Amino acid sequence: SLPAKLINGGIAGLIGVTCVFPIDLAKTRLQNQQNGQRMYTSLSDCLIKTIRSEGYFGMYRGAAVNLTLVTPEKAIKLAANDFFRHHLSKDGKKLTLLKEMLAGCGAGTCQVIVTTPMEMLKIQLQDAGRIAAQKKLMAAQAQLSSSSPAAAAAAEPAVERRPTATQITRELLRSKGIAGLYKGLGATLLRDVPFSIVYFPLFANLNKLGQKDPNVKAPFYVSFLSGCVAGSTAAVAVNPCDVVKTRLQSLQRGVNEDTYSGILDCTKKIWQREGPTAFFKGAYCRALVIAPLFGIAQVVYFVGIAEFLLDLLPKHRA
């Protein structure tokens, strides 16, 4: 049932985000840093420096936004895919690959309603620590290179209070209206639609390999592995779009970092100034985030936690 699908999608999203959020934070920071202003060299370096400068919970900055909005996001994505698959099938016949891709396209398009503002807010909170650390480093370098105590004191950055998701939302709504929360919508569509087109057909076909009978579900471990493989494959395939989306949605820039006017301008500047490999920054982090996230999602669907809970309600009342 639709309520069961929505509950399953929400539970899967909450569990997955809790498990992999620190890796997602590292992905955002690695993607946002530009040549000449590199704060981190790898995933492990980013996490170690984050813990040292911001504490353990610094790795979970922005998690509250994700935990709040990931339930409707994953619920919409998974339920929409099932909805389109059902309406594209004729008399219960097996879907062609093209129809599976069309169902995935529909799911990816529907989810951006929630995904865009969620990612917009999350990125500001995740990247705030990198920008603060960069300013602190620049100030320290200025102190070392300056022979004047007055100049060194002037270079010391003021203590900045990092904004909350609520403050950012209010400011965006006040200054730009609802459009402010949907900055980067086009780039989000360019990432999420191809992702769903690759992910859902690939998962469905991998999962079928573990089915001994078409009418019997595959074992849960097959669903988990299929979700992991399909998720990581799709994540790496669309990583260039994710880099562009992350850069466009970042409101604050580090010292001497580029600003962008749109998708084409961002793509051009990254290609010219950082090279083609920059489009795959954080790709392995994204694969590490998406693989267990969608593996867990498919296992929750397999176990049917929501169906079990919903079935108990009438019995309990009786």
Side-chain angles (χ1 to χ4, degrees), residues 136-201:
K136 188 176 180 180
L137 178 63
M138 296 291 288
Q141 291 174 346
Q143 286 181 342
L144 290 173
S145 61
S146 175
S147 56
S148 168
E156 183 67 30
V159 177
E160 296 183 23
R161 294 189 65 183
R162 295 176 191 172
T164 64
T166 303
Q167 290 170 337
I168 295 171
T169 302
R170 286 175 179 170
E171 178 58 28
L172 285 171
L173 290 175
R174 185 190 63 79
S175 60
K176 300 182 180 179
I178 193 68
L181 290 173
Y182 281 87
K183 183 180 180 182
L185 175 62
T188 305
L189 279 167
L190 283 177
R191 182 196 68 172
D192 288 348
V193 171
F195 177 92
S196 295
I197 289 174
V198 173
Y199 171 78
F200 284 110

Side-chain angles (χ1 to χ4, degrees), residues 235-249:
V236 173
V238 302
N239 198 75
C241 298
D242 189 55
V243 172
V244 173
K245 182 199 73 68
T246 300
R247 296 280 182 95
L248 288 175
Q249 288 188 320

Side-chain angles (χ1 to χ4, degrees), residues 9-10 20 24 38 54 69 73 92 111 114 116 120 124-125 132 141 149 188 191 199 230 247 253 272 295:
V20 301
D24 187 63
R38 294 173 63 87
E54 302 169 54
L69 297 178
E73 187 222 19
Q111 79 171 84
V114 177
T116 306
M120 177 73 177
Q124 314 317 314
L125 298 171
Q141 291 174 346
T188 305
R191 182 196 68 172
Y199 171 78
R247 296 280 182 95
R253 301 289 177 187
Q272 291 178 341

Side-chain angles (χ1 to χ4, degrees), residues 198-208 222-224 226-227 230 298:
V198 173
Y199 171 78
F200 284 110
L202 182 56
F203 168 78
N205 286 283
L206 289 174
N207 198 49
K208 284 176 187 175
V222 172
S223 295
F224 176 76
S226 299
Q298 297 302 342

Side-chain angles (χ1 to χ4, degrees), residues 62-78:
V65 174
N66 249 35
L67 290 171
T68 302
L69 297 178
V70 75
T71 297
E73 187 222 19
K74 287 291 176 286
I76 289 171
K77 186 185 189 81
L78 296 172

